[in-house]
Short mmCIF file of all heavy atoms in Angstrom, two decimals:
data_model
loop_
_atom_site.label_atom_id
_atom_site.label_comp_id
_atom_site.label_asym_id
_atom_site.label_seq_id
_atom_site.Cartn_x
_atom_site.Cartn_y
_atom_site.Cartn_z
N ARG A 1 0.83 -1.20 0.00
CA ARG A 1 0.00 0.00 0.00
C ARG A 1 0.86 1.26 0.00
O ARG A 1 0.57 2.21 -0.72
CB ARG A 1 -0.92 -0.01 1.21
CG ARG A 1 -1.95 1.08 1.16
CD ARG A 1 -2.92 1.09 2.32
NE ARG A 1 -3.09 -0.20 2.94
CZ ARG A 1 -3.48 -0.37 4.19
NH1 ARG A 1 -3.72 0.65 4.95
NH2 ARG A 1 -3.63 -1.57 4.70
N LEU A 2 1.95 1.28 0.80
CA LEU A 2 2.86 2.42 0.81
C LEU A 2 3.53 2.61 -0.55
O LEU A 2 3.66 3.74 -1.04
CB LEU A 2 3.93 2.24 1.88
CG LEU A 2 3.55 2.55 3.31
CD1 LEU A 2 4.67 2.14 4.25
CD2 LEU A 2 3.24 4.02 3.47
N LEU A 3 3.95 1.53 -1.15
CA LEU A 3 4.61 1.61 -2.45
C LEU A 3 3.66 2.11 -3.53
O LEU A 3 4.01 2.98 -4.33
CB LEU A 3 5.19 0.25 -2.82
CG LEU A 3 6.04 0.19 -4.08
CD1 LEU A 3 7.26 1.09 -3.95
CD2 LEU A 3 6.45 -1.22 -4.38
N LEU A 4 2.44 1.58 -3.56
CA LEU A 4 1.46 2.01 -4.56
C LEU A 4 1.02 3.45 -4.34
O LEU A 4 0.82 4.19 -5.30
CB LEU A 4 0.25 1.07 -4.54
CG LEU A 4 0.50 -0.33 -5.09
CD1 LEU A 4 -0.76 -1.18 -4.95
CD2 LEU A 4 0.96 -0.26 -6.53
N LEU A 5 0.90 3.87 -3.09
CA LEU A 5 0.55 5.25 -2.80
C LEU A 5 1.66 6.20 -3.25
O LEU A 5 1.40 7.25 -3.82
CB LEU A 5 0.28 5.41 -1.31
CG LEU A 5 -0.15 6.80 -0.85
CD1 LEU A 5 -1.51 7.13 -1.44
CD2 LEU A 5 -0.19 6.86 0.65
N SER A 6 2.90 5.80 -3.03
CA SER A 6 4.03 6.62 -3.44
C SER A 6 4.11 6.74 -4.96
O SER A 6 4.28 7.83 -5.50
CB SER A 6 5.32 6.02 -2.89
OG SER A 6 6.43 6.65 -3.45
N LEU A 7 3.98 5.62 -5.65
CA LEU A 7 4.04 5.64 -7.11
C LEU A 7 2.84 6.38 -7.71
O LEU A 7 2.99 7.13 -8.68
CB LEU A 7 4.09 4.21 -7.65
CG LEU A 7 5.40 3.46 -7.40
CD1 LEU A 7 5.27 2.02 -7.87
CD2 LEU A 7 6.55 4.14 -8.06
N GLY A 8 1.68 6.19 -7.14
CA GLY A 8 0.49 6.87 -7.64
C GLY A 8 0.57 8.38 -7.46
O GLY A 8 0.24 9.15 -8.38
N SER A 9 1.02 8.82 -6.30
CA SER A 9 1.14 10.26 -6.09
C SER A 9 2.25 10.85 -6.95
O SER A 9 2.12 11.97 -7.46
CB SER A 9 1.38 10.57 -4.61
OG SER A 9 2.60 10.02 -4.18
N GLY A 10 3.33 10.12 -7.15
CA GLY A 10 4.39 10.59 -8.03
C GLY A 10 3.94 10.72 -9.47
O GLY A 10 4.24 11.71 -10.14
N LEU A 11 3.19 9.74 -9.95
CA LEU A 11 2.69 9.81 -11.32
C LEU A 11 1.66 10.93 -11.49
O LEU A 11 1.64 11.61 -12.52
CB LEU A 11 2.07 8.47 -11.72
CG LEU A 11 3.07 7.36 -12.02
CD1 LEU A 11 2.34 6.05 -12.28
CD2 LEU A 11 3.94 7.73 -13.20
N THR A 12 0.84 11.15 -10.48
CA THR A 12 -0.14 12.23 -10.55
C THR A 12 0.56 13.59 -10.58
O THR A 12 0.20 14.46 -11.38
CB THR A 12 -1.09 12.16 -9.35
OG1 THR A 12 -1.71 10.87 -9.32
CG2 THR A 12 -2.15 13.24 -9.41
N LEU A 13 1.55 13.77 -9.73
CA LEU A 13 2.30 15.02 -9.73
C LEU A 13 3.06 15.21 -11.04
O LEU A 13 3.17 16.34 -11.54
CB LEU A 13 3.27 15.06 -8.56
CG LEU A 13 2.65 15.33 -7.20
CD1 LEU A 13 3.70 15.18 -6.11
CD2 LEU A 13 2.06 16.71 -7.16
N LEU A 14 3.59 14.14 -11.61
CA LEU A 14 4.29 14.24 -12.88
C LEU A 14 3.33 14.65 -14.00
O LEU A 14 3.69 15.47 -14.86
CB LEU A 14 4.96 12.91 -13.22
CG LEU A 14 5.80 12.87 -14.48
CD1 LEU A 14 6.99 13.83 -14.36
CD2 LEU A 14 6.27 11.47 -14.76
N LEU A 15 2.12 14.13 -14.00
CA LEU A 15 1.13 14.51 -14.99
C LEU A 15 0.77 15.98 -14.88
O LEU A 15 0.74 16.70 -15.88
CB LEU A 15 -0.13 13.64 -14.83
CG LEU A 15 -1.29 13.98 -15.75
CD1 LEU A 15 -0.94 13.60 -17.19
CD2 LEU A 15 -2.54 13.28 -15.29
N VAL A 16 0.54 16.45 -13.67
CA VAL A 16 0.22 17.86 -13.45
C VAL A 16 1.41 18.74 -13.84
O VAL A 16 1.24 19.80 -14.44
CB VAL A 16 -0.20 18.09 -11.98
CG1 VAL A 16 -0.31 19.56 -11.66
CG2 VAL A 16 -1.50 17.38 -11.69
N LEU A 17 2.60 18.29 -13.54
CA LEU A 17 3.81 19.04 -13.89
C LEU A 17 3.97 19.15 -15.40
O LEU A 17 4.29 20.22 -15.92
CB LEU A 17 5.03 18.36 -13.28
CG LEU A 17 6.38 18.97 -13.57
CD1 LEU A 17 6.48 20.34 -12.92
CD2 LEU A 17 7.47 18.06 -13.08
N CYS A 18 3.75 18.07 -16.11
CA CYS A 18 3.87 18.10 -17.57
C CYS A 18 2.81 18.99 -18.20
O CYS A 18 3.08 19.71 -19.16
CB CYS A 18 3.77 16.69 -18.14
SG CYS A 18 5.20 15.68 -17.80
N LEU A 19 1.61 18.98 -17.65
CA LEU A 19 0.56 19.85 -18.18
C LEU A 19 0.86 21.32 -17.89
O LEU A 19 0.59 22.19 -18.71
CB LEU A 19 -0.80 19.46 -17.59
CG LEU A 19 -1.37 18.14 -18.07
CD1 LEU A 19 -2.66 17.85 -17.33
CD2 LEU A 19 -1.59 18.17 -19.55
N GLY A 20 1.42 21.60 -16.73
CA GLY A 20 1.71 22.97 -16.35
C GLY A 20 2.93 23.56 -17.03
O GLY A 20 3.06 24.77 -17.15
N ALA A 21 3.83 22.72 -17.51
CA ALA A 21 5.07 23.21 -18.11
C ALA A 21 4.95 23.42 -19.61
O ALA A 21 5.95 23.71 -20.27
CB ALA A 21 6.20 22.22 -17.82
N GLN A 22 3.76 23.34 -20.16
CA GLN A 22 3.59 23.45 -21.60
C GLN A 22 3.87 24.84 -22.12
O GLN A 22 4.44 25.00 -23.19
CB GLN A 22 2.17 23.04 -21.99
CG GLN A 22 1.88 21.59 -21.79
CD GLN A 22 2.66 20.71 -22.73
OE1 GLN A 22 2.82 21.03 -23.89
NE2 GLN A 22 3.18 19.62 -22.21
N ASN A 23 3.48 25.88 -21.40
CA ASN A 23 3.54 27.23 -21.93
C ASN A 23 4.66 28.07 -21.33
O ASN A 23 4.59 29.29 -21.39
CB ASN A 23 2.20 27.93 -21.69
CG ASN A 23 1.10 27.25 -22.47
OD1 ASN A 23 1.33 26.75 -23.55
ND2 ASN A 23 -0.09 27.23 -21.90
N LEU A 24 5.66 27.47 -20.75
CA LEU A 24 6.76 28.24 -20.18
C LEU A 24 7.79 28.53 -21.26
O LEU A 24 8.21 27.64 -22.00
CB LEU A 24 7.40 27.46 -19.02
CG LEU A 24 6.45 27.19 -17.85
CD1 LEU A 24 7.16 26.33 -16.81
CD2 LEU A 24 5.99 28.48 -17.22
N ASN A 25 8.20 29.78 -21.38
CA ASN A 25 9.11 30.18 -22.44
C ASN A 25 10.57 30.18 -22.02
O ASN A 25 11.46 30.02 -22.86
CB ASN A 25 8.73 31.58 -22.94
CG ASN A 25 7.38 31.57 -23.61
OD1 ASN A 25 7.01 30.58 -24.23
ND2 ASN A 25 6.63 32.64 -23.45
N ASP A 26 10.88 30.42 -20.76
CA ASP A 26 12.26 30.49 -20.28
C ASP A 26 12.81 29.07 -20.11
O ASP A 26 12.46 28.37 -19.18
CB ASP A 26 12.30 31.25 -18.96
CG ASP A 26 13.71 31.55 -18.52
OD1 ASP A 26 14.60 31.57 -19.38
OD2 ASP A 26 13.91 31.76 -17.31
N ARG A 27 13.68 28.66 -21.02
CA ARG A 27 14.19 27.28 -21.00
C ARG A 27 15.69 27.27 -20.80
O ARG A 27 16.41 28.11 -21.32
CB ARG A 27 13.83 26.58 -22.30
CG ARG A 27 12.33 26.48 -22.48
CD ARG A 27 11.95 25.82 -23.78
NE ARG A 27 10.53 25.85 -23.98
CZ ARG A 27 9.72 24.87 -23.64
NH1 ARG A 27 10.19 23.80 -23.09
NH2 ARG A 27 8.42 24.98 -23.86
N HIS A 28 16.17 26.30 -20.04
CA HIS A 28 17.59 26.17 -19.73
C HIS A 28 18.06 24.77 -20.10
O HIS A 28 17.30 23.82 -20.13
CB HIS A 28 17.84 26.40 -18.24
CG HIS A 28 17.37 27.73 -17.76
ND1 HIS A 28 18.07 28.88 -18.00
CD2 HIS A 28 16.25 28.11 -17.09
CE1 HIS A 28 17.42 29.91 -17.47
NE2 HIS A 28 16.30 29.45 -16.92
N ARG A 29 19.36 24.66 -20.35
CA ARG A 29 19.97 23.35 -20.61
C ARG A 29 20.73 22.90 -19.37
O ARG A 29 21.34 23.70 -18.68
CB ARG A 29 20.95 23.44 -21.77
CG ARG A 29 20.29 23.66 -23.10
CD ARG A 29 21.35 23.66 -24.19
NE ARG A 29 20.76 23.92 -25.48
CZ ARG A 29 20.38 22.96 -26.32
NH1 ARG A 29 20.52 21.70 -25.98
NH2 ARG A 29 19.84 23.27 -27.47
N LEU A 30 20.71 21.61 -19.11
CA LEU A 30 21.48 21.04 -18.01
C LEU A 30 22.81 20.52 -18.54
O LEU A 30 22.84 19.82 -19.55
CB LEU A 30 20.73 19.89 -17.35
CG LEU A 30 19.48 20.23 -16.56
CD1 LEU A 30 18.86 18.96 -16.03
CD2 LEU A 30 19.81 21.16 -15.43
N ASN A 31 23.89 20.87 -17.86
CA ASN A 31 25.20 20.34 -18.22
C ASN A 31 25.37 19.00 -17.50
O ASN A 31 25.48 18.95 -16.28
CB ASN A 31 26.29 21.33 -17.81
CG ASN A 31 27.65 20.91 -18.30
OD1 ASN A 31 27.77 19.92 -19.02
ND2 ASN A 31 28.66 21.65 -17.92
N LEU A 32 25.41 17.92 -18.26
CA LEU A 32 25.46 16.58 -17.68
C LEU A 32 26.87 16.01 -17.60
O LEU A 32 27.05 14.86 -17.26
CB LEU A 32 24.58 15.63 -18.50
CG LEU A 32 23.11 16.04 -18.60
CD1 LEU A 32 22.37 15.14 -19.56
CD2 LEU A 32 22.46 16.04 -17.24
N GLY A 33 27.87 16.79 -17.93
CA GLY A 33 29.24 16.31 -17.88
C GLY A 33 29.71 15.79 -19.22
O GLY A 33 30.76 16.15 -19.71
N VAL A 34 28.94 14.91 -19.83
CA VAL A 34 29.29 14.37 -21.14
C VAL A 34 28.64 15.17 -22.26
O VAL A 34 29.12 15.17 -23.37
CB VAL A 34 28.83 12.90 -21.27
CG1 VAL A 34 29.83 12.06 -21.97
CG2 VAL A 34 28.43 12.30 -19.97
N GLY A 35 27.58 15.83 -21.96
CA GLY A 35 26.85 16.62 -22.94
C GLY A 35 25.84 17.50 -22.25
O GLY A 35 25.93 17.74 -21.05
N GLN A 36 24.89 17.97 -23.01
CA GLN A 36 23.83 18.81 -22.45
C GLN A 36 22.47 18.21 -22.75
O GLN A 36 22.30 17.47 -23.72
CB GLN A 36 23.91 20.22 -23.05
CG GLN A 36 25.11 21.00 -22.61
CD GLN A 36 25.09 22.41 -23.15
OE1 GLN A 36 24.37 22.70 -24.10
NE2 GLN A 36 25.88 23.28 -22.55
N SER A 37 21.53 18.53 -21.89
CA SER A 37 20.17 18.03 -22.09
C SER A 37 19.43 18.93 -23.07
O SER A 37 19.93 19.95 -23.52
CB SER A 37 19.43 18.00 -20.75
OG SER A 37 19.16 19.31 -20.33
N ALA A 38 18.24 18.54 -23.39
CA ALA A 38 17.37 19.38 -24.21
C ALA A 38 16.98 20.60 -23.40
O ALA A 38 16.99 20.56 -22.17
CB ALA A 38 16.14 18.59 -24.62
N PRO A 39 16.62 21.69 -24.04
CA PRO A 39 16.20 22.87 -23.29
C PRO A 39 14.88 22.60 -22.55
O PRO A 39 13.89 22.21 -23.15
CB PRO A 39 16.02 23.96 -24.35
CG PRO A 39 16.16 23.32 -25.66
CD PRO A 39 16.69 21.95 -25.48
N LEU A 40 14.92 22.77 -21.24
CA LEU A 40 13.77 22.49 -20.39
C LEU A 40 13.46 23.72 -19.54
O LEU A 40 14.36 24.45 -19.14
CB LEU A 40 14.05 21.31 -19.46
CG LEU A 40 14.34 19.98 -20.12
CD1 LEU A 40 14.88 18.99 -19.10
CD2 LEU A 40 13.10 19.44 -20.77
N PRO A 41 12.17 23.95 -19.21
CA PRO A 41 11.84 25.04 -18.29
C PRO A 41 12.41 24.77 -16.90
O PRO A 41 12.48 23.61 -16.46
CB PRO A 41 10.31 25.04 -18.26
CG PRO A 41 9.88 24.27 -19.45
CD PRO A 41 10.99 23.32 -19.76
#
């Protein structure tokens, strides 16, 4: 029950986060050491 609650709340927050990040214009790249990530808000 703890594991399913944790995964369920994480997936719900991730869904809300992806929906909310659609219209953000200020995007940054992460320096990963070997390369850079895609531009993300």
Side-chain angles (χ1 to χ4, degrees):
R1 189 178 334 155
L2 280 173
L3 186 61
L4 289 177
L5 182 66
S6 170
L7 290 174
S9 63
L11 285 175
T12 304
L13 284 173
L14 183 63
L15 176 70
V16 170
L17 178 67
C18 289
L19 290 176
Q22 292 292 319
N23 295 326
L24 298 176
N25 294 327
D26 189 23
R27 298 178 185 266
H28 302 282
R29 290 183 182 266
L30 290 178
N31 187 5
L32 301 173
V34 220
Q36 291 184 342
S37 71
L40 298 168

